[in-house]
């Protein structure tokens, strides 16, 4: 069975914030079942990652299936392009599919070098 959240006997759909777990969940827009894994939300035109219990992930995330690092903003949206991380005090570049670049890579016709952790070498 699928997990659903009901309000007045009607399954809720879309984004839902659970105050008990202090987490956002995405409930299928059609029937309200809880979604997990990578999900593209047409309303936000962005990818989100929902953990096995459905909670929206934020921050750095290593996906074992893709064997790559991704960054999910405070809104949960998958970041694409340049990202300055205040914790690492470094720039990173996340490709069009969200994966962090490493090694020598061409961006806009210019070659950039990234360390093994994805940090840009200036």
């Amino acid at each position: 069975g699928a997990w659903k959240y009901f309000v007045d006997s009607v399954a809720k759909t879309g984004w839902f914030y659970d105050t008990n777990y202090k987490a956002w969940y995405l409930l299928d827009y059609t029937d309200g079942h809880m979604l997990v894994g990578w999900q593209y939300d047409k309303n936000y035109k962005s990818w989100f990652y929902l953990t096995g219990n459905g909670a929206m992930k934020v921050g750095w995330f290593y996906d074992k299936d893709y064997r790559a690092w991704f960054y999910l903003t405070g809104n949960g949206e998958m970041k694409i392009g340049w990202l300055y991380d205040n914790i690492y005090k470094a720039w990173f570049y996340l490709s069009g599919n969200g994966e962090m670049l490493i090694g020598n890579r061409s961006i806009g016709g210019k070659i950039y070098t990234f360390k093994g952790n994805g940090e840009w070498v200036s």
Side-chain angles (χ1 to χ4, degrees), residues 82-85 88-93 114 118-121:
W82 287 103
L83 167 73
Y84 183 78
D85 187 300
Y88 292 102
K89 305 281 189 247
W91 284 97
F92 299 85
Y93 190 85
F114 299 91
E119 181 181 334
W120 172 50
V121 179

Side-chain angles (χ1 to χ4, degrees), residues 49-104:
Y49 187 82
L50 307 160
T51 63
N53 69 2
M56 181 187 77
K57 189 91 172 131
V58 297
W60 288 108
F61 166 65
Y62 183 77
D63 188 313
K64 292 182 221 171
D65 294 331
Y66 287 101
R67 292 186 287 188
W69 284 95
F70 297 85
Y71 187 83
L72 304 161
T73 68
N75 295 332
E77 296 173 284
M78 182 181 73
K79 175 70 175 160
I80 295 173
W82 287 103
L83 167 73
Y84 183 78
D85 187 300
N86 287 317
I87 294 171
Y88 292 102
K89 305 281 189 247
W91 284 97
F92 299 85
Y93 190 85
L94 300 133
S95 67
N97 64 0
E99 293 181 54
M100 189 166 57
L101 299 183
I102 58 173
N104 293 325

Side-chain angles (χ1 to χ4, degrees), residues 20-41:
N20 292 323
Y21 292 104
K22 295 180 176 44
W24 283 96
Y25 297 85
L26 179 56
L27 309 174
D28 185 82
Y29 286 105
T30 305
D31 68 3
H33 73 274
M34 183 182 71
L35 300 171
V36 297
W38 285 107
Q39 300 293 327
Y40 185 78
D41 188 321

